[in-house]
Amino acid sequence: MSTREADPSRRRVLLTGAGVLSSVGNGVTEYKDALRAGRVGTGPITLFDTAGFQYARGHQVSDIDLTDHIHRVPLADLGRASQFSVAAARMAVADAELAEEDLRSKRGLIAIGTTDGEGHDLDHLAETALRHGPDRMEPEIARRAPALSLSMAVAKEFRLSDVEVSTIPTACSAGNYALGSGLDAVRSGEVDYALVGGTDGLCRKNFAGFYRLGLISPDECRPFDADREGLLTGEGAGVMLLESEESALARGAHVYAEILGYGLNCDAHHPTAPEEDSVARCIRLALDDADLKAEDVDLISAHGTGTKTNDLTETRAIQQVYGDSPPPMVGIKSMIGHTMGAASALGAIAGALAITHGFIPPTANHRRPDPECPIDCVPNQSLDAEVRIVQNNGLAFGGNNAVVMLGKYTKDPR
């Protein structure tokens, strides 16, 4: 007996709206077109001084006027990451064709994941304190630094009062953590809708940390490539509107995907290195929660950072669960960079778009297969394909693993 048959109180949860800011495109349509084309958004970092670094390329958000998407909260009251989360939430609500009055009349959840919070502002405050003393730190910048602002600002923008608001700081898996939180809240009936995802802005602290660890690529990110040299830091936001099946059908909503289940664990194995067995356990937790078998999965949106250790460990964990013939396993960080707290949220949206539009995005910048990663990473060119089930991986420092399963929505449960 399936989980749904055994527990009819578990409401089905549908993804009906998405908002995206990324280095390859803003808005869900631009993002989809970029993924399908295998577009790479790498460029020079201009948001902070990169003097002293041998190389400094990354993925910045550009070509967007945020005042088009932030209507009520003064832009000067928001740090860069909060600006991104509010704009992406506004996009998601518009994409779902929901009126603000509908949000205000219902119970909701807002959960936004992050790695650095307002890291760009914290960089500025730290530099000011070092150069001129703490008395010279600008109060208006200090006021917008708390991490709760990333989610609270969304509630303020839509004038929402009947909402639970949280910022989830589980680094590179935080978007999936937020998505799982929204899934639980909607399917239990605790809330009527959830705005969930992740956001981060580029900051010097983050870039310098990865650089000192020797994890920054000098040119491009090449997940699962034999010649991979590391990741590229990026920025952006991905926010999704989740609602119950009953709600979505009643208003005739467009459905991107059903959120089928998720798994979380934290092994605390190592400050930075993932642990193979723990990642495999997390995948099994997600499959069990979604009532899926390994053979049901059509596509894996990998964490795929392009570092030697991560890609090898992730591949071996996948082999534990899927054997020697796993489904295609793609690394979209090759195109959008490592967007930190936004990474798995943008991965989930990519998976939903693959389901909706019938394609598998590529792993860009691929040159030479790695015999230690014997997978189909769909090198350089997207494929037309029927995609029904997508696994979205998020693996973070400290062993914070989160895996989400998305599926093609059909009115009859599987």
Side-chain angles (χ1 to χ4, degrees):
M1 181 179 292
S2 73
T3 303
R4 293 186 181 86
E5 291 169 335
D7 185 3
S9 67
R10 276 173 50 126
R11 301 193 298 176
R12 298 176 70 184
V13 179
L14 308 184
L15 194 171
T16 58
V20 170
L21 285 87
S22 78
S23 65
V24 298
N26 303 307
V28 71
T29 300
E30 282 189 14
Y31 186 55
K32 179 260 295 180
D33 291 344
L35 292 175
R36 195 157 205 164
R39 191 175 305 144
V40 176
T42 312
I45 294 174
T46 61
L47 281 173
F48 54 83
D49 184 5
T50 60
F53 296 103
Q54 185 178 355
Y55 38 85
R57 287 163 58 79
H59 289 256
Q60 293 183 194
V61 170
S62 60
D63 300 326
I64 187 170
D65 184 349
L66 291 172
T67 60
D68 290 341
H69 305 282
I70 302 175
H71 302 162
R72 294 200 178 93
V73 183
L75 215 62
D77 290 351
L78 301 175
R80 189 170 180 84
S82 293
Q83 291 176 8
F84 287 172
S85 65
V86 173
R90 173 71 69 180
M91 290 177 182
V93 171
D95 186 45
E97 299 183 340
L98 264 174
E100 290 185 44
E101 294 76 15
D102 291 335
L103 292 182
R104 286 194 283 270
S105 67
K106 297 176 179 177
R107 296 169 299 159
L109 169 75
I110 299 170
I112 303 295
T114 191
T115 294
D116 292 298
E118 293 296 0
H120 189 66
D121 282 346
L122 292 171
D123 279 349
H124 177 81
L125 292 170
E127 183 175 5
T128 300
L130 286 169
R131 290 181 182 275
H132 308 291
D135 292 344
R136 296 284 296 277
M137 292 192 295
E138 301 94 322
E140 61 273 15
I141 294 180
R143 278 195 295 270
R144 66 194 194 194
L148 186 60
S149 300
L150 276 61
S151 48
M152 186 66 75
V154 176
K156 290 180 178 179
E157 173 69 14
F158 291 105
R159 295 179 178 170
L160 303 175
S161 57
D162 193 8
V163 288
E164 177 186 336
V165 176
S166 62
T167 298
I168 300 176
T170 49
C172 309
S173 59
N176 268 358
Y177 270 79
L179 189 49
S181 180
L183 172 60
D184 279 344
V186 175
R187 73 178 170 187
S188 69
E190 179 183 348
V191 301
D192 300 306
Y193 70 91
L195 280 166
V196 297
T199 184
D200 262 304
L202 271 174
C203 64
R204 182 164 45 199
K205 181 269 292 182
N206 183 285
F207 174 82
F210 279 105
Y211 191 96
R212 289 293 298 273
L213 287 170
L215 299 178
I216 297 288
S217 173
D219 52 8
E220 297 288 358
C221 174
R222 296 184 175 82
F224 309 111
D225 190 285
D227 302 317
R228 63 190 183 276
E229 295 183 81
L231 57 85
L232 291 177
T233 57
E235 65 176 3
V239 174
M240 291 156 277
L241 191 287
L242 308 184
E243 59 186 304
S244 69
E245 176 188 41
E246 181 182 12
S247 170
L249 295 183
R251 65 184 192 85
H254 169 264
V255 177
Y256 286 102
E258 180 176 1
I259 311 302
L260 298 172
Y262 75 107
L264 307 176
N265 65 4
C266 180
D267 54 72
H269 165 72
H270 189 274
T272 61
E275 202 279 319
E276 177 187 334
D277 292 341
S278 179
V279 175
R281 284 195 300 273
C282 191
I283 294 168
R284 293 189 182 100
L285 287 171
L287 288 167
D288 289 345
D289 188 49
D291 195 25
L292 292 170
K293 299 180 177 62
E295 56 265 29
D296 296 327
V297 177
D298 300 307
L299 170 64
I300 297 171
S301 180
H303 190 61
T305 60
T307 64
K308 291 290 186 182
T309 300
N310 179 93
D311 291 2
L312 180 57
T313 302
E314 189 172 16
T315 297
R316 288 174 174 171
I318 290 292
Q319 290 175 318
Q320 276 197 37
V321 179
Y322 290 92
D324 294 331
S325 300
M329 182 169 158
V330 302
I332 66 168
K333 290 180 179 65
S334 59
M335 294 177 276
I336 67 172
H338 195 333
T339 55
M340 307 298 153
S344 53
L346 289 170
I349 294 171
L353 292 170
I355 290 168
T356 301
H357 297 283
F359 75 101
I360 296 177
T363 301
N365 309 315
H366 194 76
R367 298 189 300 204
R368 192 163 65 94
D370 183 350
E372 291 193 283
C373 298
I375 59 165
D376 177 9
C377 70
V378 189
N380 300 321
Q381 290 188 324
S382 63
L383 299 175
D384 292 334
E386 181 181 10
V387 181
R388 298 185 62 82
I389 305 290
V390 175
Q391 172 183 314
N392 183 52
N393 289 355
L395 316 178
F397 282 180
N400 284 294
N401 305 314
V403 175
V404 171
M405 298 291 179
L406 303 90
K408 188 176 185 67
Y409 171 67
T410 59
K411 289 187 178 181
D412 294 327
R414 291 174 293 103

